[in-house]
Amino acid sequence: MDFKIAVLPGDGIGPEISVCGVEVMTAVCEKYGHKVEYRHAICGADAIDKVGNPFPEETYQTCLWADAVLFSAVGDPKFDNNPNAKIRPEQGLLAMRKQLGLYANIRPVETFDCLLHHSPLRREIVEGADFVCIRELTGGMYFGEKLEGNDRAYDTNAYTREEVERILHTAYGYARRRRKHLTVVDKANVLASSRLWRKVAQEIAPAYPDVETDYMYVDNAAMRMIQDPRFFDVMVTENTFGDILTDEGSVISGSMGLLPSASTGEKTPVFEPIHGSWPQAKGKNIANPLAQILSVAMLFEYFDLLDEGRLIREAVNASLDANVRTPEIQIPDGPAYGTKEVGEWITDYIRRHA
């Protein structure tokens, strides 16, 4: 297969981990006989500094040209700490999602046996946890009508039937490929938008008789994820709830630097780590590249290239078992590896193994 890949390194640690992702993808393509062409493009704070727009038209056109986007992170403290800033890096991320029609965000949560001690939860609670959160990505409060004044502000949490139906069908598709259990997360006891979600879900559920469907309020789901994460197989929820729950889910594995994600929909799919830009670590060669590398595995799997994805996951697991880890997940007195060195070790593993 020939690949055209748009590479959006973004801000903070993004350029460092992006290199690791590209090197891994290149190694896998060489091994399996795929041709790959890359085009780099700017976004986030970097794009604001250069052209005044966090998602410029040229970057959008590069994404349309590509078969997939390998994205890293956006965000910079100079915008976070300025409440009066009219343009922010995160607006570029929202623009990318909206313009590419990326309505489904897929975030797997899984544990690694050798890292269970890093989770703040007890081993017997998190061991074996393996679920996927499907987050609706282009509706809700993040995109609804807004008002921001000195004395009054609001964000409108609006959804249409069509938006709810398409994300539910996506979630059922994932549930059918996994353990056939779907949890619909809402706040239907309080929010009108959530009552629409539940109504539509109850109408759609009979079309998937092979999938067990249950419903859970978001506050209960947040508690259940901590008390019994193994209960979940696939959960689906709206944009804001999904943003919060998926970050909560990341602590189950012990580090946000371990979890990838995919955003799919109408146009080019985007593959990215779930962590942010971590600007404090910029240029220090300490950021964990594994989530970026696992995003490449998800990219191959999206195109049904399962052997390619499996080899990347095997390489990541081998690096962890060999204690080839960045500082935040390294064992006490373990060897020192930086972002670059971890990426090189995994790339070399891929080149040496079938």
Side-chain angles (χ1 to χ4, degrees):
M1 179 174 178
D2 294 347
F3 282 105
K4 295 182 293 184
I5 303 296
V7 181
L8 277 59
D11 307 322
I13 62 172
E16 298 167 71
I17 62 171
S18 178
V19 169
C20 298
V22 168
E23 289 179 346
V24 165
M25 178 149 194
T26 300
V28 172
C29 285
E30 289 173 353
K31 178 171 284 292
Y32 287 91
H34 306 301
K35 294 181 179 179
V36 59
E37 178 184 355
Y38 302 103
R39 289 186 186 176
H40 286 68
I42 58 174
C43 63
D46 178 48
I48 295 174
D49 291 341
K50 290 175 178 174
V51 300
N53 184 340
F55 189 64
E57 177 66 19
E58 185 175 353
T59 298
Y60 174 55
Q61 292 301 323
T62 299
C63 293
L64 291 180
W65 161 85
D67 298 306
V69 177
L70 189 60
F71 172 76
S72 296
V74 295
D76 191 282
K78 67 184 177 184
F79 297 95
D80 296 340
N81 298 326
N82 180 8
N84 297 316
K86 300 301 181 184
I87 303 176
R88 299 178 181 275
E90 293 76 14
Q91 291 171 343
L93 184 57
L94 296 179
M96 178 172 67
R97 292 169 178 171
K98 198 69 173 180
Q99 291 180 45
L100 294 178
L102 303 174
Y103 60 82
N105 181 237
I106 295 92
R107 293 194 179 187
V109 176
E110 60 180 317
T111 55
F112 301 83
D113 287 345
C114 64
L115 294 175
L116 289 176
H117 63 286
H118 277 278
S119 175
L121 302 178
R122 296 194 308 272
R123 182 185 186 97
E124 59 267 27
I125 292 176
V126 299
E127 188 171 17
D130 175 13
F131 62 92
V132 175
C133 183
I134 310 291
R135 169 190 171 193
E136 200 290 323
L137 204 56
T138 56
M141 284 194 290
Y142 290 5
F143 293 94
E145 181 183 347
K146 301 177 184 299
L147 172 70
E148 185 173 352
N150 290 329
D151 302 307
R152 185 169 179 261
Y154 62 75
D155 300 274
T156 307
N157 194 46
Y159 272 102
T160 66
R161 170 178 285 272
E162 180 185 6
E163 289 174 319
V164 179
E165 286 178 344
R166 66 185 181 182
I167 194 68
L168 284 168
H169 286 303
T170 299
Y172 273 111
Y174 273 86
R176 275 184 160 172
R177 295 193 294 272
R178 289 174 53 88
R179 301 190 301 275
K180 296 181 171 55
H181 175 204
L182 179 67
T183 303
V184 180
V185 177
D186 59 34
K187 192 63 177 172
N189 57 335
V190 175
L191 300 178
S193 57
S194 280
R195 285 191 285 276
L196 175 65
W197 271 75
R198 186 164 295 206
K199 177 182 179 181
V200 173
Q202 289 173 340
E203 292 172 0
I204 288 177
Y208 298 91
D210 54 325
V211 177
E212 177 189 359
T213 304
D214 52 40
Y215 304 87
M216 195 174 293
Y217 295 147
V218 62
D219 40 359
N220 186 20
M223 290 188 291
R224 191 72 181 266
M225 281 175 61
I226 299 302
Q227 295 170 336
D228 184 18
R230 286 174 293 195
F231 168 83
F232 296 102
D233 177 25
V234 177
M235 68 164 62
V236 61
T237 191
E238 59 100 56
N239 204 342
T240 305
F241 296 160
D243 192 4
I244 296 167
L245 289 175
T246 51
D247 281 354
E248 179 189 0
S250 70
V251 306
I252 292 171
S253 67
S255 171
M256 289 185 71
L258 295 168
L259 299 182
S261 74
S263 298
T264 65
E266 298 167 1
K267 299 175 184 176
T268 313
V270 175
F271 300 87
E272 62 181 291
I274 73 163
H275 58 69
S277 61
W278 195 16
Q280 298 84 355
K282 179 180 178 180
K284 296 182 180 179
N285 195 38
I286 60 173
N288 189 347
L290 295 187
Q292 180 82 88
I293 291 169
L294 288 169
S295 296
V296 178
M298 291 189 73
L299 188 159
F300 281 113
E301 291 159 355
Y302 176 84
F303 291 100
D304 291 324
L305 298 172
L306 304 185
D307 288 340
E308 288 85 335
R310 190 178 299 113
L311 178 57
I312 294 173
R313 295 182 185 280
E314 177 187 316
V316 166
N317 283 317
S319 73
L320 293 172
D321 290 340
N323 294 323
V324 180
R325 314 177 188 182
T326 46
E328 94 283 2
I329 57 171
Q330 185 54 283
I331 62 174
D333 301 319
Y337 287 94
T339 310
K340 182 174 182 289
E341 291 74 26
V342 171
E344 289 175 344
W345 194 97
I346 291 173
T347 301
D348 181 64
Y349 182 98
I350 288 168
R351 289 196 169 115
R352 291 185 291 106
H353 291 77

